[in-house]
Amino acid sequence: MKLLVVNPNTTASMTAKIGAAARSVAAAGTEIVAVNPERGPVSIEGYYDEVFSVPGLLEEIAKGQAAGCQGVIIACFDDTGLDAARALAHGPVVGICEAAMHLSTLLGGSFSVVTTLPRSVPAIEALARRYGMSHHCRRVRAAEVPVLALEDPASDASARIRAEIAAALDEDRAECIILGCAGMADFARSLTAEFGLPVIDGVAAAVKLVESMVSLGLATSKIGGYAAPLPKPYQGDFACYQPQTLMPPDGAKR
Ligand code: 5HY
């Protein structure tokens, strides 16, 4: 099978890291196609960045689907554009936050999330409520690490993340830790060993969940809220995003 992993920000080095993390857990028969949009924010830190990452995300999903991808992983911990992506895509679409939270509940009774900046915390808390995880989520913590500091080997990002995990163990009674940024994907295995509890990376969790659904022949239900977008004119610069343009009925390559 072929799965599409979309980093909705436009930082190629982060996309490469995410792709490597996805390939490290993918099954032998699973091809991972890791992409990012050409247009949009270099990192997603809060609601405003998030909105401007969605058009590029949807473009990449349309291209990936035309290239034969059977499932989609949204590799941003805000699960950016998840509902629109599910309406657009034919196969299953999973965001890394939702995947990590569900996987965590199968491993422990509670979790804390360690994300990047304080501005990202409210959105993740809202996702926990939306996903029915409020009674599992002990706390969403910020390590005070800008997203792109995770791309800088000279930064103190790793030390800050580990300090926040230690605080979560001391203060939250968390039985699992979830890494709250796709850019942390390469830390999970070493942190699990170092701290002696499940430290979950949403990229890996989402890849295995989408793999499972595709192998079960399951896809997003299209009879309700995730029904395919209705063809209609979109005026002005957004004409390229009108459903019949972005996803031509004949599935032609864009
Ligand atoms: C992410 N931002 O996973 C989120 C994390 C955050 O560019 N990729 C980003 O800080 O919200």
Side-chain angles (χ1 to χ4, degrees):
M1 73 177 75
K2 186 191 286 190
L3 301 184
L4 182 70
V5 179
V6 189
N7 168 21
N9 72 41
T10 50
T11 297
S13 64
M14 195 166 159
T15 305
K17 176 164 60 176
I18 290 165
R23 292 183 187 98
S24 74
V25 299
T30 299
E31 177 188 355
I32 298 292
V33 178
V35 299
N36 62 258
E38 291 159 19
R39 302 184 285 173
V42 294
S43 64
I44 297 164
E45 295 169 321
Y47 299 119
Y48 192 84
D49 292 341
E50 188 177 339
V51 164
F52 286 98
S53 72
V54 174
L57 165 79
L58 297 175
E59 280 182 296
E60 292 305 322
I61 290 174
K63 286 192 284 186
Q65 202 140 253
C69 291
Q70 297 154 272
V72 179
I73 290 93
I74 297 177
C76 176
F77 206 78
D78 303 73
D79 287 355
T80 310
L82 179 60
D83 291 323
R86 285 180 173 157
L88 184 69
H90 300 153
V93 181
V94 173
I96 66 171
C97 176
E98 188 171 24
M101 289 186 174
H102 281 284
L103 193 65
S104 166
T105 64
L106 305 178
L107 297 166
S110 61
F111 64 79
S112 284
V113 177
V114 175
T115 190
T116 54
L117 296 174
R119 62 177 46 232
S120 296
V121 170
I124 296 169
E125 289 172 336
L127 288 178
R129 289 192 294 273
R130 170 184 167 177
Y131 299 147
M133 294 288 171
S134 298
H135 52 297
H136 286 280
C137 183
R138 287 277 185 271
R139 185 170 166 187
V140 179
R141 292 172 168 270
E144 298 284 1
V145 170
V147 169
L148 295 189
L150 294 163
E151 300 305 298
D152 176 2
S155 82
D156 62 355
S158 172
R160 286 176 176 269
I161 291 164
R162 285 169 42 242
E164 205 59 36
I165 292 174
L169 296 185
D170 287 346
E171 301 165 18
D172 303 349
R173 291 184 297 107
E175 296 163 80
C176 300
I177 297 294
I178 293 174
L179 299 177
C181 179
M184 299 176 183
D186 51 340
F187 290 151
R189 286 185 192 271
S190 59
L191 291 172
T192 295
E194 178 177 348
F195 287 95
L197 84 167
V199 177
I200 298 163
D201 154 47
V203 172
V207 166
K208 300 315 281 185
L209 280 173
V210 173
E211 243 181 12
S212 300
M213 287 188 275
V214 171
S215 63
L216 290 170
L218 296 173
T220 302
S221 174
K222 306 299 275 184
I223 62 168
Y226 294 133
L230 295 172
K232 66 185 66 174
Y234 283 20
Q235 306 299 338
D237 291 346
F238 279 12
C240 61
Y241 296 110
Q242 58 194 28
Q244 63 275 23
T245 303
L246 196 61
M247 291 280 283
D250 60 3
K253 284 187 184 298
R254 292 177 64 255

